[in-house]
Amino acid sequence: MSLDSFEQYDLDSLNLARALEGLPHSYDGATRALPAPFGVIGFGEGALAAELSRVFIDEAAVSGSGTQFVLAGGFDFGAVDAACVIAEAAGAKVFRMGLPRASVVNISDDELSYSFEDNPDEEPRDDFFPVPHGSFSTYTYAQALAYLTNHIDLAEAADETLAKLREQCKTEIETAQNPAKQLAWSLWTRTPLLIPSSGFAIQAWAWQLNLSKLGKSLSIPIAHNSLEIVASGFEARHESGDALVALLLGGSDEGLDLAREILETRVDEVIEVPAAANEAYAANLGLWYLSCWVGLYLALLYKIDPRDSKPLEALRK
């Protein structure tokens, strides 16, 4: 079994490795700046991107004026429509991204008809940007938010960060020089503890999501009170740490230095995963991108297709 073998990638039925390589600088959607102030709320595949954008969009909701972004990534159970109605009632202009609205039933005296509120073949609209389901849709949502809020510099810096990571992590780079392949091997047959450093709290969620969706593996995020948890959680069952590896996401800081001292005697290995940029948005999107590569390689090590699982596809239907 080798991640440097061409045959290993036959498992990747959707060629997600090539899609991941093509992701940096691939955004070609809406770019016009919308009126400030801004609020953003995300559902399903849009939820993580909404949190990534907190660097430049502080609020979940805006009222009175400005633009309310609603990211409709599925699994909202009607909450998207409710969020749009509430925002409009508060005086904000709603800009929705993601999936088209569900079918609407029109009832008249003599007929019952069905129509779709959003037609994918119609002319581009000024209040909706389509983002289809996809393993890497977080990138599209996040970059759209950066452009639409007039943070072009942040979007471009993030693309540069992703492009540099691609040259380190793409399939052609052998394991000895490839940090994503090395991390995948470190996680193979072991369960990761995901512990983010200061400024990178969202990475526990991002890595758990991608290791699950792509790598088909569970992980344990510790986003809050990490010192209290790692100092206490092994005392009754020290053997529970034998098959665990701790990932310090974003690099180390004063708190994680202490966590490392504790964990080195309790888990199998502690690995620091530094950020590839200094600016917060680029650094966080870069770590998300790295987690995609690690999840994809982990799936291949387990000899499983990294595409969405059948249960997940069934849930969407």
Side-chain angles (χ1 to χ4, degrees), residues 6 24 57 148 158 240 261 305:
F6 178 78
I57 303 179
L148 292 169
S240 64
E261 290 184 32
D305 193 336

Side-chain angles (χ1 to χ4, degrees), residues 105-138:
V105 180
N106 298 319
I107 303 177
S108 63
D109 292 338
D110 56 355
E111 65 178 2
L112 175 65
S113 63
Y114 294 83
S115 64
F116 283 91
E117 183 105 1
D118 291 318
N119 183 351
D121 297 323
E122 69 183 8
E123 290 298 312
R125 294 169 44 169
D126 63 359
D127 63 350
F128 174 64
F129 172 51
V131 181
H133 280 308
S135 299
F136 313 126
S137 63
T138 293

Side-chain angles (χ1 to χ4, degrees), residues 205-291:
W205 176 11
W207 280 68
Q208 183 187 35
L209 188 62
N210 282 326
L211 292 178
S212 175
K213 285 187 67 177
L214 293 163
K216 309 299 182 288
S217 300
L218 287 176
S219 52
I220 304 170
I222 305 178
H224 305 287
N225 303 94
S226 59
L227 281 174
E228 296 174 65
I229 292 171
V230 301
S232 308
F234 297 95
E235 298 311 292
R237 295 177 58 231
H238 282 276
E239 73 281 1
S240 64
D242 292 346
L244 298 178
V245 55
L247 299 185
L248 308 184
L249 303 173
S252 192
D253 57 25
E254 186 176 3
L256 289 191
D257 286 342
L258 293 171
R260 178 192 286 274
E261 290 184 32
I262 297 168
L263 287 166
E264 283 177 343
T265 62
R266 286 163 172 79
V267 302
D268 205 19
E269 187 177 4
V270 180
I271 301 173
E272 186 173 329
V273 185
N278 293 323
E279 190 279 317
Y281 175 65
N284 273 286
L285 196 63
L287 276 173
W288 166 83
Y289 185 62
L290 177 60
S291 74

Side-chain angles (χ1 to χ4, degrees), residues 164-222:
K164 291 176 182 177
L165 282 167
R166 173 184 59 199
E167 297 310 306
Q168 301 172 37
C169 300
K170 62 184 180 180
T171 57
E172 290 85 350
I173 305 301
E174 294 185 353
T175 300
Q177 290 80 41
N178 192 316
K181 290 181 179 180
Q182 292 171 15
L183 274 171
W185 273 113
S186 295
L187 301 185
W188 185 59
T189 72
R190 299 195 290 187
T191 301
L193 294 177
L194 308 174
I195 310 175
S197 62
S198 177
F200 294 95
I202 193 175
Q203 293 303 322
W205 176 11
W207 280 68
Q208 183 187 35
L209 188 62
N210 282 326
L211 292 178
S212 175
K213 285 187 67 177
L214 293 163
K216 309 299 182 288
S217 300
L218 287 176
S219 52
I220 304 170
I222 305 178

Side-chain angles (χ1 to χ4, degrees), residues 71-117:
L71 312 187
F75 298 119
D76 63 278
F77 304 101
V80 163
D81 290 336
C84 292
V85 170
I86 292 170
E88 289 171 349
K93 179 176 176 60
V94 174
F95 189 95
R96 194 165 54 87
M97 283 189 259
L99 304 177
R101 288 187 180 91
S103 58
V104 177
V105 180
N106 298 319
I107 303 177
S108 63
D109 292 338
D110 56 355
E111 65 178 2
L112 175 65
S113 63
Y114 294 83
S115 64
F116 283 91
E117 183 105 1

Side-chain angles (χ1 to χ4, degrees), residues 38-99:
F38 304 106
V40 61
I41 184 170
F43 301 90
E45 289 184 0
L48 181 62
E51 295 308 310
L52 283 168
S53 74
R54 294 299 172 207
V55 173
F56 49 87
I57 303 179
D58 292 333
E59 301 297 330
V62 64
S63 61
S65 63
T67 304
Q68 176 68 54
F69 293 103
V70 179
L71 312 187
F75 298 119
D76 63 278
F77 304 101
V80 163
D81 290 336
C84 292
V85 170
I86 292 170
E88 289 171 349
K93 179 176 176 60
V94 174
F95 189 95
R96 194 165 54 87
M97 283 189 259
L99 304 177

